[in-house]
Amino acid sequence: MIQIDALPAFNDNYIWLLQDNASKRCAVVDPGDAAPVQAWLQRNPEWQLSDILITHHHADHTGGVEQLKRQTGATVYGPANEKIPARDVALSDNDHLTVLGLAFVVHAVPGHTLGHIAFYHDDPRQPLLFSGDTLFAAGCGRLFEGTPEQMHHSLGRLGALPDSTLVYCAHEYTLSNLRFAVAVEPENPDVTGRFEEVTRLREQNRITLPSNLALERRTNPFLRVSIDAVKQKADERTGTDNASPAAVFAALRAWKDKF
Ligand code: ZN
Ligand code: FE
């Protein structure tokens, strides 16, 4: 059994900490800052950091890698197509890796950055997805390097994973994402209900993650670009007929950038 906890970093990042209680080994995903991980290891001195997983090159995901690697000798996995500090294993689409006994397959998901990868643990009992800054709870990452078409395709891949897949993304953006989702689909009770629930959680300063793919398909506008009501809203915004789902996606993403 692997336990997964969030180590908060900076304003709104989460460093995911995977713990294998049997071996007392642990792994982290996207340690943008070494300090929260070091503090946890200090509080839990019997534990060994064995693996570091990186989704993309941005500093808020990689800033702690070199220090943690130096201190612990952990193996660093990261995307082959990006410059990742201290990377030991360069990963490309469909590559397989095993971390703490969990088998992961790599999904290349360009858009936020061109080399961005996601880590998927394909276990029918409990599938897990570490989606970095690609699929957020009720949202998606900004397009810093890729095109809307690339991101739409990437989200299509992640959006096709099983309903029960737990989604561990790298930021606490859920509330602001849902504010936008309500603007896109004011009549969708799943969206308004989730907005109210997440509002309550954030009022108590509680985490809104992990999400799951069934919930994302019901409430994340960027996974709902084929829904009539979503296309209609996109068309209203652009004053044009967004004839393809990719065009609807592009219109939503551009709208969200200024929302
Ligand atoms: Zn990023
Ligand atoms: Fe980020």
Side-chain angles (χ1 to χ4, degrees), residues 15 18 40 46 57 104 113 115 126 137 158 160 164 181 185 189-190 228:
I15 300 167
L18 288 68
W40 188 90
E46 69 278 26
H57 67 86
F104 285 91
T113 64
Q126 185 51 77
L158 300 185
S164 62
E185 289 190 90
D190 291 325
D228 280 344

Side-chain angles (χ1 to χ4, degrees), residues 12-13 30 56 58 60-61 112 132-133 136 170-171 173:
D12 50 34
N13 283 71
D30 286 352
H56 68 293
H58 286 161
D60 63 311
H61 300 251
H112 179 69
D133 285 359
F136 287 130
H171 289 271
Y173 289 161

Side-chain angles (χ1 to χ4, degrees), residues 68-121:
L68 291 171
K69 166 88 183 167
R70 219 178 309 120
Q71 257 174 28
T72 64
T75 304
V76 179
Y77 297 85
N81 295 330
E82 296 192 348
K83 196 166 165 279
I84 305 296
R87 185 187 57 207
D88 296 300
V89 183
L91 297 171
S92 302
D93 198 22
N94 295 317
D95 278 352
H96 291 259
L97 61 150
T98 302
V99 173
L100 306 176
L102 294 183
F104 285 91
V105 60
V106 171
H107 286 280
V109 284
H112 179 69
T113 64
L114 284 174
H116 197 304
I117 58 172
F119 296 88
Y120 178 56
H121 170 56

